[in-house]
Amino acid sequence: MLSISQLSVTYADGTQALRDINLQLPGGMVGLLGPNGAGKSTLMRALACLQPPDQGQIQFAGINVLQQPQALRQQLGYLPQYFGVYPHMSCYALLLHMAILKGINNKADQKQQIEALLQLTNLSAVANKSVATFSGGMRQRFGIAQALLGNPRLLIMDEPTAGLDPAERERLHALLVHISQNKLILLSTHIVEDIENLCPFVALINQGQIVESGAVQSLLTPLQGRIWQSPLRPANAKTILSESYRFGLPLYRLLSSQQPCAEAVPAAATLQDRYFFELSHKAAAYVAA
Ligand code: ADP
């Protein structure tokens, strides 16, 4: 559905944020996972025609995005990471304003779409309240409502769960799953759990490059049977994929074809393991071994 080839972006100060990105994405929910500074927002902005690339091609559902940005905009919903300042306008009035900007000019159409989206995002009861007074979760739902105006086929969401409490996150997940049919929803985040919960397909990005992409299950296969968990640090530190804490106690995730220490028990591979595997630069050495 979305095809990106040889896409590179350099900022005015010389920072090369994206380097030769090649990516084929199917429809449905797709996760773009990478640490802060990896280039996720830059890629999202390039896809939304807000950041001109140095070179490359982007095709979406038959549209040559860089040559026909206007055609893409009609198919695009974009939830940026930062919305900037919220004006003191009611939620309804702001959605109406955005509907007009998106070219939805028919009054009956505007009313029907806005009312349906307010209901979908559970904002009908606060339609006449100023968006500036909304909580973080309500703002995110408002952001989704505005992104869905015009029923876009490409929905780009930059860190949509940032700042949400657990209940708000769950509600947002349910909403995204509900609307994901017949669309490509590209979800950028550094929260592995969001992607594990929502996305059958994922692309991992690091230092401006796509390091891996594919069905989540296929990314886990090479690690299955080689992941261990241990409360103690193993003598061979090379096997450590990640070190975290659970209930205040250390928990090591280890990568090894044999039991790395007496305390280690086998564990199922997770996307988090694959993420740390790629970030630790063990991938190349491991594949070569
Ligand atoms: P992410 O969204 O994954 O955190 P970004 O796309 O924001 O990453 O940033 C990728 C790289 O580009 C980083 O090194 C960042 O510092 C740099 N960068 C982002 N925006 C700009 C900008 N406007 N000017 C210069 N460098 C930028």
Side-chain angles (χ1 to χ4, degrees):
M1 202 166 187
L2 179 72
S3 165
I4 303 169
S5 52
Q6 298 177 321
L7 189 77
S8 296
V9 171
T10 308
Y11 284 108
D13 67 356
T15 306
Q16 200 178 10
L18 297 179
R19 287 183 239 173
D20 197 24
I21 300 279
N22 293 287
L23 201 51
Q24 309 289 328
L25 301 179
M29 299 266 311
V30 171
L32 181 66
L33 179 64
N36 287 330
K40 302 182 296 296
S41 294
T42 305
L43 180 56
M44 303 270 132
R45 286 200 300 269
L47 293 176
C49 300
L50 299 171
Q51 178 68 53
D54 319 338
Q55 58 157 52
Q57 294 290 326
I58 306 171
Q59 292 276 342
F60 175 72
I63 301 170
N64 182 329
V65 172
L66 299 175
Q67 281 175 13
Q68 305 163 269
Q70 205 47 43
L72 179 85
R73 280 190 197 110
Q74 285 170 359
Q75 302 279 346
L76 175 75
Y78 180 51
L79 177 67
Q81 195 172 356
Y82 301 107
F83 237 108
V85 181
Y86 287 85
H88 282 278
M89 263 169 105
S90 79
C91 172
Y92 193 101
L94 198 49
L95 283 176
L96 182 60
H97 177 71
M98 288 171 154
I100 293 165
L101 287 181
K102 272 201 175 174
I104 305 166
N105 294 316
N106 179 292
K107 286 217 172 345
D109 205 14
Q110 291 167 348
K111 186 170 183 303
Q112 188 266 329
Q113 279 203 38
I114 292 173
E115 284 178 1
L117 287 173
L118 286 171
Q119 207 167 11
L120 182 72
T121 52
N122 202 15
L123 290 172
S124 304
V126 290
N128 294 319
K129 277 192 128 190
S130 160
V131 178
T133 66
F134 280 8
S135 71
M138 288 159 82
R139 286 182 186 196
Q140 283 306 70
R141 281 184 278 134
F142 170 80
I144 291 177
Q146 66 77 28
L148 285 173
L149 282 165
N151 193 21
R153 290 180 68 202
L154 175 60
L155 199 56
I156 293 180
M157 319 202 104
D158 204 348
E159 311 256 349
T161 60
L164 299 188
D165 69 34
E168 287 171 334
R169 246 178 88 197
E170 278 191 5
R171 278 201 294 273
L172 182 67
H173 285 181
L175 176 61
L176 290 176
V177 170
H178 181 71
I179 61 174
S180 65
Q181 274 165 12
N182 306 320
K183 290 187 198 309
L184 168 55
I185 302 188
L186 196 52
L187 188 93
S188 145
T189 184
H190 59 269
I191 304 170
V192 185
E193 224 186 327
D194 279 350
I195 296 193
E196 281 187 323
N197 289 344
L198 293 173
C199 304
F201 197 98
V202 68
L204 301 180
I205 182 169
N206 193 24
Q207 296 179 347
Q209 291 180 303
I210 299 292
V211 288
E212 198 54 79
S213 70
V216 173
Q217 281 309 322
S218 74
L219 263 60
L220 303 188
T221 306
L223 302 185
Q224 294 297 11
R226 296 183 163 101
I227 299 291
W228 305 79
Q229 199 163 284
S230 167
L232 295 182
R233 190 182 175 82
N236 182 0
K238 281 191 194 152
T239 62
I240 299 174
L241 264 187
S242 63
E243 177 185 356
S244 60
Y245 288 85
R246 191 155 167 76
F247 306 126
L249 298 171
L251 188 68
Y252 293 88
R253 298 283 291 187
L254 311 169
L255 176 70
S256 173
S257 16
Q258 279 140 29
Q259 188 184 27
C261 58
E263 299 76 18
V265 292
T270 63
L271 186 58
Q272 179 115 349
D273 293 326
R274 182 71 201 231
Y275 177 70
F276 282 120
F277 176 63
E278 296 298 339
L279 292 196
S280 66
H281 303 289
K282 285 181 181 155
Y286 186 74
V287 170

